mmCIF file with all atom_site columns, all heavy atoms in Angstrom:
data_model
loop_
_atom_site.group_PDB
_atom_site.id
_atom_site.type_symbol
_atom_site.label_atom_id
_atom_site.label_alt_id
_atom_site.label_comp_id
_atom_site.label_asym_id
_atom_site.label_entity_id
_atom_site.label_seq_id
_atom_site.pdbx_PDB_ins_code
_atom_site.Cartn_x
_atom_site.Cartn_y
_atom_site.Cartn_z
_atom_site.occupancy
_atom_site.B_iso_or_equiv
_atom_site.pdbx_formal_charge
_atom_site.auth_seq_id
_atom_site.auth_comp_id
_atom_site.auth_asym_id
_atom_site.auth_atom_id
_atom_site.pdbx_PDB_model_num
ATOM 1  N N   . ALA A 1 37  ? 141.205 73.051 96.726  1.00 0.00 ? 37  ALA A N   1
ATOM 2  C CA  . ALA A 1 37  ? 142.162 73.083 97.834  1.00 0.00 ? 37  ALA A CA  1
ATOM 3  C C   . ALA A 1 37  ? 141.757 72.078 98.918  1.00 0.00 ? 37  ALA A C   1
ATOM 4  O O   . ALA A 1 37  ? 140.569 71.865 99.162  1.00 0.00 ? 37  ALA A O   1
ATOM 5  C CB  . ALA A 1 37  ? 142.226 74.485 98.430  1.00 0.00 ? 37  ALA A CB  1
ATOM 6  N N   . THR A 1 78  ? 134.239 43.753 121.155 1.00 0.00 ? 78  THR A N   1
ATOM 7  C CA  . THR A 1 78  ? 133.619 42.570 121.739 1.00 0.00 ? 78  THR A CA  1
ATOM 8  C C   . THR A 1 78  ? 134.044 41.311 120.984 1.00 0.00 ? 78  THR A C   1
ATOM 9  O O   . THR A 1 78  ? 134.306 41.361 119.783 1.00 0.00 ? 78  THR A O   1
ATOM 10 C CB  . THR A 1 78  ? 132.094 42.727 121.672 1.00 0.00 ? 78  THR A CB  1
ATOM 11 O OG1 . THR A 1 78  ? 131.749 43.146 120.354 1.00 0.00 ? 78  THR A OG1 1
ATOM 12 C CG2 . THR A 1 78  ? 131.640 43.793 122.651 1.00 0.00 ? 78  THR A CG2 1
ATOM 13 N N   . LYS A 1 144 ? 129.809 57.019 117.479 1.00 0.00 ? 144 LYS A N   1
ATOM 14 C CA  . LYS A 1 144 ? 130.898 57.708 116.773 1.00 0.00 ? 144 LYS A CA  1
ATOM 15 C C   . LYS A 1 144 ? 130.329 58.496 115.597 1.00 0.00 ? 144 LYS A C   1
ATOM 16 O O   . LYS A 1 144 ? 130.703 59.649 115.355 1.00 0.00 ? 144 LYS A O   1
ATOM 17 C CB  . LYS A 1 144 ? 131.888 56.649 116.285 1.00 0.00 ? 144 LYS A CB  1
ATOM 18 C CG  . LYS A 1 144 ? 133.194 57.167 115.751 1.00 0.00 ? 144 LYS A CG  1
ATOM 19 C CD  . LYS A 1 144 ? 133.856 55.999 115.019 1.00 0.00 ? 144 LYS A CD  1
ATOM 20 C CE  . LYS A 1 144 ? 135.314 56.119 114.813 1.00 0.00 ? 144 LYS A CE  1
ATOM 21 N NZ  . LYS A 1 144 ? 135.807 54.989 113.962 1.00 0.00 ? 144 LYS A NZ  1
ATOM 22 N N   . ARG A 1 158 ? 132.860 76.687 117.369 1.00 0.00 ? 158 ARG A N   1
ATOM 23 C CA  . ARG A 1 158 ? 132.447 76.226 118.686 1.00 0.00 ? 158 ARG A CA  1
ATOM 24 C C   . ARG A 1 158 ? 133.644 76.067 119.618 1.00 0.00 ? 158 ARG A C   1
ATOM 25 O O   . ARG A 1 158 ? 134.723 75.658 119.203 1.00 0.00 ? 158 ARG A O   1
ATOM 26 C CB  . ARG A 1 158 ? 131.726 74.879 118.588 1.00 0.00 ? 158 ARG A CB  1
ATOM 27 C CG  . ARG A 1 158 ? 130.452 74.923 117.768 1.00 0.00 ? 158 ARG A CG  1
ATOM 28 C CD  . ARG A 1 158 ? 129.437 75.889 118.340 1.00 0.00 ? 158 ARG A CD  1
ATOM 29 N NE  . ARG A 1 158 ? 128.188 75.845 117.565 1.00 0.00 ? 158 ARG A NE  1
ATOM 30 C CZ  . ARG A 1 158 ? 127.135 76.577 117.866 1.00 0.00 ? 158 ARG A CZ  1
ATOM 31 N NH1 . ARG A 1 158 ? 127.160 77.460 118.849 1.00 0.00 ? 158 ARG A NH1 1
ATOM 32 N NH2 . ARG A 1 158 ? 126.050 76.478 117.144 1.00 0.00 ? 158 ARG A NH2 1
ATOM 33 N N   . GLY A 1 321 ? 117.366 63.767 108.966 1.00 0.00 ? 321 GLY A N   1
ATOM 34 C CA  . GLY A 1 321 ? 116.603 63.628 107.732 1.00 0.00 ? 321 GLY A CA  1
ATOM 35 C C   . GLY A 1 321 ? 117.448 63.891 106.501 1.00 0.00 ? 321 GLY A C   1
ATOM 36 O O   . GLY A 1 321 ? 117.246 63.296 105.450 1.00 0.00 ? 321 GLY A O   1
ATOM 37 N N   . ALA B 1 37  ? 124.541 79.268 120.685 1.00 0.00 ? 37  ALA B N   1
ATOM 38 C CA  . ALA B 1 37  ? 123.783 79.834 119.563 1.00 0.00 ? 37  ALA B CA  1
ATOM 39 C C   . ALA B 1 37  ? 123.482 78.757 118.529 1.00 0.00 ? 37  ALA B C   1
ATOM 40 O O   . ALA B 1 37  ? 124.287 77.855 118.303 1.00 0.00 ? 37  ALA B O   1
ATOM 41 C CB  . ALA B 1 37  ? 124.579 80.969 118.921 1.00 0.00 ? 37  ALA B CB  1
ATOM 42 N N   . THR B 1 78  ? 111.791 50.935 97.452  1.00 0.00 ? 78  THR B N   1
ATOM 43 C CA  . THR B 1 78  ? 111.556 49.606 96.912  1.00 0.00 ? 78  THR B CA  1
ATOM 44 C C   . THR B 1 78  ? 110.460 48.896 97.703  1.00 0.00 ? 78  THR B C   1
ATOM 45 O O   . THR B 1 78  ? 110.289 49.138 98.891  1.00 0.00 ? 78  THR B O   1
ATOM 46 C CB  . THR B 1 78  ? 112.856 48.805 96.994  1.00 0.00 ? 78  THR B CB  1
ATOM 47 O OG1 . THR B 1 78  ? 113.412 48.967 98.307  1.00 0.00 ? 78  THR B OG1 1
ATOM 48 C CG2 . THR B 1 78  ? 113.863 49.333 95.994  1.00 0.00 ? 78  THR B CG2 1
ATOM 49 N N   . TYR B 1 103 ? 131.309 34.827 114.754 1.00 0.00 ? 103 TYR B N   1
ATOM 50 C CA  . TYR B 1 103 ? 131.529 36.130 115.368 1.00 0.00 ? 103 TYR B CA  1
ATOM 51 C C   . TYR B 1 103 ? 132.979 36.555 115.226 1.00 0.00 ? 103 TYR B C   1
ATOM 52 O O   . TYR B 1 103 ? 133.282 37.724 114.971 1.00 0.00 ? 103 TYR B O   1
ATOM 53 C CB  . TYR B 1 103 ? 131.105 36.122 116.852 1.00 0.00 ? 103 TYR B CB  1
ATOM 54 C CG  . TYR B 1 103 ? 130.952 37.519 117.405 1.00 0.00 ? 103 TYR B CG  1
ATOM 55 C CD1 . TYR B 1 103 ? 129.739 38.189 117.316 1.00 0.00 ? 103 TYR B CD1 1
ATOM 56 C CD2 . TYR B 1 103 ? 132.028 38.190 117.978 1.00 0.00 ? 103 TYR B CD2 1
ATOM 57 C CE1 . TYR B 1 103 ? 129.591 39.486 117.780 1.00 0.00 ? 103 TYR B CE1 1
ATOM 58 C CE2 . TYR B 1 103 ? 131.899 39.489 118.439 1.00 0.00 ? 103 TYR B CE2 1
ATOM 59 C CZ  . TYR B 1 103 ? 130.681 40.141 118.347 1.00 0.00 ? 103 TYR B CZ  1
ATOM 60 O OH  . TYR B 1 103 ? 130.553 41.420 118.800 1.00 0.00 ? 103 TYR B OH  1
ATOM 61 N N   . LYS B 1 144 ? 123.470 58.854 100.703 1.00 0.00 ? 144 LYS B N   1
ATOM 62 C CA  . LYS B 1 144 ? 123.037 60.083 101.364 1.00 0.00 ? 144 LYS B CA  1
ATOM 63 C C   . LYS B 1 144 ? 123.990 60.398 102.516 1.00 0.00 ? 144 LYS B C   1
ATOM 64 O O   . LYS B 1 144 ? 124.405 61.547 102.708 1.00 0.00 ? 144 LYS B O   1
ATOM 65 C CB  . LYS B 1 144 ? 121.617 59.871 101.886 1.00 0.00 ? 144 LYS B CB  1
ATOM 66 C CG  . LYS B 1 144 ? 120.884 61.099 102.353 1.00 0.00 ? 144 LYS B CG  1
ATOM 67 C CD  . LYS B 1 144 ? 119.662 60.610 103.152 1.00 0.00 ? 144 LYS B CD  1
ATOM 68 C CE  . LYS B 1 144 ? 118.578 61.606 103.318 1.00 0.00 ? 144 LYS B CE  1
ATOM 69 N NZ  . LYS B 1 144 ? 117.522 61.058 104.239 1.00 0.00 ? 144 LYS B NZ  1
ATOM 70 N N   . ARG B 1 158 ? 133.091 76.216 100.034 1.00 0.00 ? 158 ARG B N   1
ATOM 71 C CA  . ARG B 1 158 ? 133.132 75.567 98.717  1.00 0.00 ? 158 ARG B CA  1
ATOM 72 C C   . ARG B 1 158 ? 132.082 76.134 97.783  1.00 0.00 ? 158 ARG B C   1
ATOM 73 O O   . ARG B 1 158 ? 130.979 76.478 98.190  1.00 0.00 ? 158 ARG B O   1
ATOM 74 C CB  . ARG B 1 158 ? 132.880 74.057 98.868  1.00 0.00 ? 158 ARG B CB  1
ATOM 75 C CG  . ARG B 1 158 ? 133.904 73.346 99.717  1.00 0.00 ? 158 ARG B CG  1
ATOM 76 C CD  . ARG B 1 158 ? 135.298 73.484 99.140  1.00 0.00 ? 158 ARG B CD  1
ATOM 77 N NE  . ARG B 1 158 ? 136.264 72.679 99.890  1.00 0.00 ? 158 ARG B NE  1
ATOM 78 C CZ  . ARG B 1 158 ? 137.548 72.609 99.607  1.00 0.00 ? 158 ARG B CZ  1
ATOM 79 N NH1 . ARG B 1 158 ? 138.052 73.330 98.613  1.00 0.00 ? 158 ARG B NH1 1
ATOM 80 N NH2 . ARG B 1 158 ? 138.359 71.862 100.315 1.00 0.00 ? 158 ARG B NH2 1
ATOM 81 N N   . GLY B 1 321 ? 137.537 56.853 109.116 1.00 0.00 ? 321 GLY B N   1
ATOM 82 C CA  . GLY B 1 321 ? 138.078 56.318 110.363 1.00 0.00 ? 321 GLY B CA  1
ATOM 83 C C   . GLY B 1 321 ? 137.578 57.095 111.569 1.00 0.00 ? 321 GLY B C   1
ATOM 84 O O   . GLY B 1 321 ? 137.389 56.541 112.652 1.00 0.00 ? 321 GLY B O   1
#
Side-chain angles (χ1 to χ4, degrees):
Chain A
T78 48
K144 190 194 200 186
R158 298 300 183 179
Chain B
T78 47
Y103 196 89
K144 192 194 199 186
R158 299 300 186 180

